[in-house]
Amino acid sequence: MVLLGFVLGLVVGIGFWVWQQVQLHRYLQPLTSHAYKVLLPLIPRLRQEITRVKQQRQDLQQSLQTYQDLLNFAPLGYLQVDEENQLVWCNQQARKMLQLQRWQPGQIRLLLELVRSYELDQLIEQTRNWQKPQIREWIFHPSYDNAPAMLEQKSLALRASSLPLYQGQVGVFLENRQPLLELNQERDRSFSDLAHELRTPLTSIRLVVETLQNRLEPPLNRLVNRLMQEVDRLINLVQSWLDLTQMETSPSFQLHFESVEVRSLIVSVWETLEPLAQQQHLTFTYSGRETLWIKADRSRTYQVFLNLLDNSIKYSHPRANIHIEAQILPSKDDFSANYLEINIIDSGVGFSEADLPHVFERFYRGELTAERNSTTAIVGSGLGLAIVRQIVIAHGGTIKAMNHPETGGAWIQVQLPIVMPNSPSQDYT
Amino acid sequence: MDRTILNPETLILDVKKPIVKYKLVKAVFDDPHPDRSQLTRAIRHLEQDVLRMGALVEQSFRLSHQALFVRNLTAAEEIPRLDKKIDRFYRKIESDCTVIITLQAPTAQDLRCLSAFMQLVRDLERIGDYAKDLAEIAIKIFPYTPHPSLPEIALMSHHAQAMLATSLVALADLDAASGRHLKHLDDTVDNAYDHLYQTLAHQRDVPGVVEPILLLVLAIRYLERMADHATNIGQRVTYIVTGQRH
């Protein structure tokens, strides 16, 4: 009995030992199998590996340092915040732009503690939430803690482009647009001064030409007639420029608001342009309500549609159709009234993708236009759309230029706020 | 007068304390008090919201200045929109504070911080309201010819704005000394108020109606109140840091 117990214990013990050995073997398998392949002893190899890793680390550190130096030296501002909106790092330019002198490298502070810019904070939050690069422009007002400094404070027009990084960090590039803005204003101002100076002599030239026109005999007469046309064109251009400048500088320039019925206004514009349209056998269609009342400046609104339809006619292929669609849409927020959306769609050549962001700029002519100019000779001041945009903005509306997906032609969308009731009962006027 | 001034060393220590603490929380890997770090983070979020609200109030104040002294009425129209946002922040911060106090059992300093925040946002909100009032004055006063003492009022407004900026910087840095310094800055605004009041009230032979003068008196009153609220913010900051009221 004792013997049996002893044998049983021995068997269990041996079994346990074998099992442990197997386990140990399996555990060491990856290590030993690797060691078989390597003929060198382990220690030197380990040393070699360590030096290699060290070298690699040094290289990486070096390149990191290089990048940081480059970023520090960059002409753009750069700053990076972590997931808690704490400033991790910023470069020299960013420090100058945002007046971050209080911040020292290595210090962990909330960005908002250092620069109280609601816009910048919003941009960073949005970038993190949407995980998409964002671009925003705003006027940054540095805050000062003493009154005399505030008197000569300089606000900056900033453009920030932000990028979501790993672990909820966000990187922001800052661009100082102030010099550009000032340059632009300076340019526009000097151009307007020039236009002012040109207007008076042009008027006198016109008077002289007018007197000549009546006194000259037929062969010379023709030349003077042409001269007259060109002078008129110049005067028109100068006047448009001055109008545009005036609209831009005084946002609430004299608009004489009255009740305007948009549909009949558009029809009358079309009638004015009919001779031009007939040369190319163009047709015109309108869809929408019969009467659309808005509060607007009649002559300015007329100018808007005149310029837009004139453009459509110029760029349309012969025998095409120009379509205008008008509808009243509910407002996007609760504060404002409903607005009127007018779509002007032609089936001409449309805008090229590269031109789309610039079509409302002064004197901007698309590349396509330049090409076409040689064949069909499209004349215009280059200010038409710029004036349209300014008028629409002065009315509190918006304007967009697109290409229509179906016709392939230009698609101009104008949205104007409506202050007039447009219910059927009040349509009797 | 007060003890903290007599003992500058404790003051400095106190000022540095919060920053060190936040760093520690970050550094300690195995935090023995997980609740603590959560609380710190919650307070940090709250602080961000307060500063955001501060930025909006500053913007509002700046716009009202533009409206009143540069006759920029588009600036005046923008203020109500900002004011709505400010109010939203005010309510949010207040309810967040209450939630933290009831649920997370904060310690002495944190509790001081939270209660100071609650009162401080009230001050900020009041400043925002006064900015709105100033914008309304700007619209009413627009048709009249500018009053000769307008530049002096503009300077007073600049002083008040600078005080608001200082108070917010003091809050961001948790700087008790600069919080206390605001009291002295407030004297400048108070003096300007007294002087302007005398000038406006004792004006003789007023041509036309008195509305512009009335409006200006109201304006300087509002500016003076705004400066007072900025001073209050400074005092709350001192309270957060030192635990002493003045």
Side-chain angles (χ1 to χ4, degrees):
Chain A
M1 198 59 208
V2 174
L3 198 70
L4 191 70
F6 173 74
V7 168
L8 199 69
L10 197 69
V11 166
V12 167
I14 287 171
F16 201 70
W17 179 77
V18 166
W19 182 75
Q20 222 172 18
Q21 282 297 309
V22 167
Q23 283 293 315
L24 186 69
H25 194 69
R26 195 182 298 160
Y27 188 68
L28 289 176
Q29 188 91 43
L31 288 177
T32 44
S33 69
H34 191 66
Y36 288 141
K37 282 178 213 147
V38 185
L39 295 173
L40 286 170
L42 263 175
I43 301 293
R45 196 187 136 73
L46 201 63
R47 271 197 198 125
Q48 204 182 336
E49 199 73 357
I50 287 171
T51 24
R52 203 175 63 83
V53 167
K54 254 189 192 157
Q55 183 63 37
Q56 218 169 23
R57 214 187 108 186
Q58 240 168 25
D59 287 352
L60 282 176
Q61 205 110 43
Q62 190 69 45
S63 67
L64 190 70
Q65 188 60 41
T66 319
Y67 286 134
Q68 200 154 35
D69 286 349
L70 273 176
L71 215 50
N72 207 9
F73 186 68
L76 286 177
Y78 176 75
L79 60 89
Q80 196 172 326
V81 296
D82 66 5
E83 62 194 324
E84 304 253 310
N85 281 341
Q86 301 178 104
L87 183 63
V88 178
W89 190 77
C90 73
N91 72 357
Q92 216 60 43
Q93 278 292 329
R95 240 187 276 188
K96 219 166 82 186
M97 269 182 226
L98 300 178
Q99 311 214 328
L100 288 173
Q101 283 86 1
R102 285 191 294 143
W103 181 76
Q104 300 296 324
Q107 212 178 28
I108 304 272
R109 300 285 309 268
L110 280 177
L111 182 64
L112 267 169
E113 288 178 357
L114 298 163
V115 45
R116 286 183 308 282
S117 167
Y118 188 73
E119 290 88 352
L120 183 61
D121 180 69
Q122 286 289 93
L123 176 79
I124 291 170
E125 288 283 313
Q126 256 177 28
T127 314
R128 187 176 301 122
N129 290 343
W130 298 349
Q131 284 295 309
K132 259 192 218 148
Q134 306 278 327
I135 292 182
R136 183 183 278 213
E137 281 180 40
W138 77 94
I139 308 283
F140 173 66
H141 305 271
S143 53
Y144 297 93
D145 49 7
N146 60 335
M150 227 174 238
L151 278 176
E152 56 223 41
Q153 73 166 317
K154 281 210 163 143
S155 40
L156 294 177
L158 287 185
R159 176 195 278 171
S161 334
S162 59
L163 189 75
L165 303 171
Y166 64 98
Q167 287 182 342
Q169 295 208 353
V170 176
V172 183
F173 281 106
L174 295 165
E175 201 180 330
N176 185 357
R177 312 250 308 151
Q178 194 61 29
L180 216 65
L181 215 74
E182 277 164 16
L183 213 66
N184 242 347
Q185 282 166 353
E186 179 64 30
R187 186 202 60 188
D188 285 352
R189 200 165 34 238
S190 50
F191 209 97
S192 306
D193 290 349
L194 184 68
H196 248 290
E197 292 300 315
L198 279 175
R199 192 162 58 169
T200 329
L202 275 174
T203 323
S204 1
I205 290 175
R206 196 180 187 281
L207 279 174
V208 173
V209 175
E210 225 170 274
T211 22
L212 270 181
Q213 224 172 4
N214 300 330
R215 299 193 184 171
L216 284 178
E217 295 303 308
L220 290 170
N221 198 348
R222 256 194 19 233
L223 291 177
V224 176
N225 278 349
R226 266 208 66 193
L227 181 62
M228 189 71 175
Q229 273 177 19
E230 295 300 312
V231 169
D232 275 345
R233 230 185 95 193
L234 254 181
I235 289 176
N236 232 333
L237 175 65
V238 166
Q239 194 52 49
S240 311
W241 180 274
L242 287 175
D243 279 355
L244 193 56
T245 313
Q246 201 212 343
M247 278 187 241
E248 264 182 12
T249 44
S250 50
S252 54
F253 69 102
Q254 297 92 0
L255 284 177
H256 302 288
F257 281 99
E258 53 187 318
S259 310
V260 177
E261 206 283 294
V262 178
R263 199 190 72 92
S264 60
L265 191 82
I266 294 174
V267 169
S268 71
V269 170
W270 181 257
E271 276 161 7
T272 317
L273 291 171
E274 198 124 43
L276 274 177
Q278 269 172 358
Q279 287 172 13
Q280 296 193 61
H281 307 286
L282 298 174
T283 52
F284 167 72
T285 50
Y286 170 88
S287 67
R289 293 165 80 136
E290 283 299 301
T291 49
L292 283 165
W293 289 94
I294 61 169
K295 264 262 190 287
D297 183 305
R298 183 182 292 275
S299 64
R300 297 287 185 186
T301 321
Y302 185 85
Q303 200 179 354
V304 166
F305 291 112
L306 189 74
N307 287 2
L308 289 178
L309 282 175
D310 185 46
N311 253 18
S312 291
I313 291 172
K314 277 182 200 157
Y315 292 99
S316 275
H317 301 300
R319 291 174 213 291
N321 181 38
I322 295 170
H323 182 64
I324 291 194
E325 196 178 86
Q327 52 186 333
I328 294 171
L329 296 173
S331 62
K332 284 165 218 159
D333 48 46
D334 303 330
F335 304 114
S336 55
N338 295 355
Y339 61 92
L340 169 69
E341 184 184 283
I342 301 164
N343 293 301
I344 300 163
I345 302 159
D346 66 49
S347 40
V349 283
F351 304 105
S352 82
E353 280 301 316
D355 292 341
L356 268 180
H358 307 288
V359 288
F360 293 112
E361 286 172 17
R362 299 171 177 198
F363 293 129
Y364 188 86
R365 297 291 199 86
E367 283 167 39
L368 249 169
T369 327
E371 261 170 51
R372 287 169 49 111
N373 246 344
S374 52
T375 51
T376 47
I378 289 171
V379 287
S381 62
L383 291 173
L385 282 180
I387 290 174
V388 166
R389 182 173 151 259
Q390 243 358 282
I391 294 173
V392 172
I393 288 175
H395 279 89
T398 56
I399 186 164
K400 255 191 286 183
M402 296 162 277
N403 284 321
H404 199 268
E406 280 165 32
T407 65
W411 174 13
I412 305 273
Q413 187 175 70
V414 182
Q415 295 185 338
L416 292 169
I418 303 179
V419 220
M420 301 281 294
N422 264 296
S423 57
S425 59
Q426 263 138 327
D427 275 0
Y428 50 82
T429 19
Chain B
M1 217 164 62
D2 51 19
R3 274 172 298 160
T4 33
I5 281 185
L6 290 174
N7 192 353
E9 245 183 78
T10 49
L11 183 79
I12 289 165
L13 265 177
D14 264 329
V15 174
K16 289 270 167 64
K17 213 177 204 169
I19 299 163
V20 173
K21 197 177 75 184
Y22 292 132
K23 266 190 179 170
L24 264 179
V25 168
K26 269 190 121 41
V28 175
F29 192 68
D30 262 330
D31 195 352
H33 305 287
D35 295 350
R36 270 294 81 90
S37 83
Q38 199 190 338
L39 175 65
T40 318
R41 189 170 301 153
I43 289 179
R44 204 97 166 111
H45 270 284
L46 214 56
E47 190 197 341
Q48 270 195 59
D49 274 347
V50 173
L51 287 170
R52 260 175 214 143
M53 181 175 165
L56 284 178
V57 172
E58 251 186 319
Q59 173 80 353
S60 203
F61 200 163
R62 198 180 296 121
L63 285 174
S64 73
H65 183 101
Q66 286 278 318
L68 196 55
F69 302 108
V70 197
R71 297 163 70 83
N72 177 0
L73 288 189
T74 30
E77 282 165 12
E78 219 174 303
I79 291 180
R81 205 171 45 82
L82 274 176
D83 199 56
K84 276 210 179 76
K85 271 193 203 167
I86 293 171
D87 280 353
R88 218 173 298 145
F89 268 117
Y90 170 54
R91 277 194 294 273
K92 178 169 180 282
I93 292 167
E94 213 178 38
S95 71
D96 282 359
C97 276
T98 329
V99 167
I100 293 174
I101 291 174
T102 40
L103 294 184
Q104 306 218 0
T107 53
Q109 163 132 26
D110 290 336
L111 197 58
R112 273 214 301 274
C113 202
L114 289 169
S115 70
F117 277 171
M118 278 174 90
Q119 294 172 348
L120 187 151
V121 288
R122 174 110 191 101
D123 286 318
L124 277 177
E125 192 257 354
R126 291 300 305 153
I127 295 178
D129 281 353
Y130 282 127
K132 206 167 80 176
D133 294 341
L134 282 180
E136 275 161 20
I137 287 183
I139 293 169
K140 277 188 199 144
I141 214 170
F142 191 77
Y144 300 103
T145 45
H147 195 270
S149 57
L150 211 57
E152 205 180 330
I153 302 176
L155 187 68
M156 181 179 168
S157 157
H158 273 312
H159 272 298
Q161 281 179 67
M163 281 176 66
L164 177 60
T166 312
S167 72
L168 289 171
V169 169
L171 173 68
D173 294 351
L174 285 180
D175 182 351
S178 107
R180 212 173 286 126
H181 179 58
L182 271 162
K183 246 183 175 170
H184 304 297
L185 290 177
D186 192 36
D187 291 343
T188 329
V189 176
D190 283 345
N191 290 339
Y193 172 74
D194 288 340
H195 180 237
L196 277 164
Y197 180 82
Q198 293 297 327
T199 331
L200 290 171
H202 294 142
Q203 203 174 340
R204 284 164 191 281
D205 307 324
V206 186
V209 287
V210 288
E211 192 186 10
I213 294 172
L214 272 178
L215 287 171
L216 285 181
V217 171
L218 279 175
I220 58 171
R221 175 80 191 146
Y222 293 157
L223 286 171
E224 191 261 340
R225 292 302 304 149
M226 284 160 119
D228 279 352
H229 282 296
T231 317
N232 280 357
I233 294 174
Q235 281 175 352
R236 312 243 188 261
V237 172
T238 317
Y239 171 68
I240 295 176
V241 180
T242 64
Q244 281 167 356
R245 288 181 188 279
H246 300 277

